[in-house]
Amino acid sequence: MRKPTLYQSLKAKRRSQSLVIGVTWYTEETWAQVKATATDPECFEDSFAKWKAIAVAARRNFQRSGVLALECQIVPEEFSAWCTANSQENNSTARAEFVSEKLSAAHAPQA
C-alpha cells in the first residue's frame, strides 16, 4: 500500500476538521428591533422576508462547502447590553463580533 502524498494527507485532514461559523439569526420581531436601533440600517434588507431568504441561502451554501453554519439568535436586550459593556454601536461589525463571541462561548472546551 502506497503512502498518501502530502497533498492527499492535507486534503483529508481539512475534510475531517469542520470549520464552524455563527450565522446571525433573527425572528421577525427581533430583526425589526435590531434594525430600528442600528446605526447602519441600510445594511439590512428591505424586509424580514428578504433577509430570511438570503440568510437561509447563505447558510445552505456554507453547509454545502463543508462549513458548519450555526444559527446564532440575536436577542435585542442582550445585544444592547453587550454593546454598552463593550463601548460598541449597533452596527454590522458589532453584530458580527457579538455572534462570534456567543459562538465561541457556547463551543469553548470544558475545563
Side-chain angles (χ1 to χ4, degrees):
M1 183 175 207
R2 287 179 59 189
K3 183 177 177 182
T5 66
L6 177 60
Y7 173 75
Q8 290 168 329
S9 296
L10 291 173
K11 192 173 177 182
K13 184 176 182 181
R14 192 172 72 222
R15 271 195 313 262
S16 69
Q17 294 177 338
S18 288
L19 177 60
V20 179
I21 64 163
V23 178
T24 304
W25 213 258
Y26 305 97
T27 63
E28 189 165 3
E29 182 181 327
T30 61
W31 179 85
Q33 290 173 339
V34 173
K35 181 178 180 179
T37 60
T39 60
D40 60 351
E42 69 280 358
C43 289
F44 286 78
E45 284 68 27
D46 294 335
S47 70
F48 174 78
K50 285 183 185 177
W51 167 81
K52 188 162 186 178
I54 291 168
V56 167
R59 186 186 62 200
R60 187 177 307 122
N61 288 335
F62 279 125
Q63 291 172 331
R64 283 184 184 149
S65 66
V67 176
L68 180 57
L70 302 176
E71 295 175 10
C72 189
Q73 291 283 337
I74 289 191
V75 177
E77 297 79 15
E78 184 182 337
F79 176 60
S80 179
W82 179 90
C83 285
T84 300
N86 291 281
S87 301
Q88 297 281 341
E89 295 181 335
N90 173 1
N91 59 33
S92 61
T93 301
R95 291 187 296 272
E97 190 175 329
F98 176 75
V99 165
S100 178
E101 284 187 18
K102 281 186 72 167
L103 183 68
S104 292
H107 294 283
Q110 300 297 321

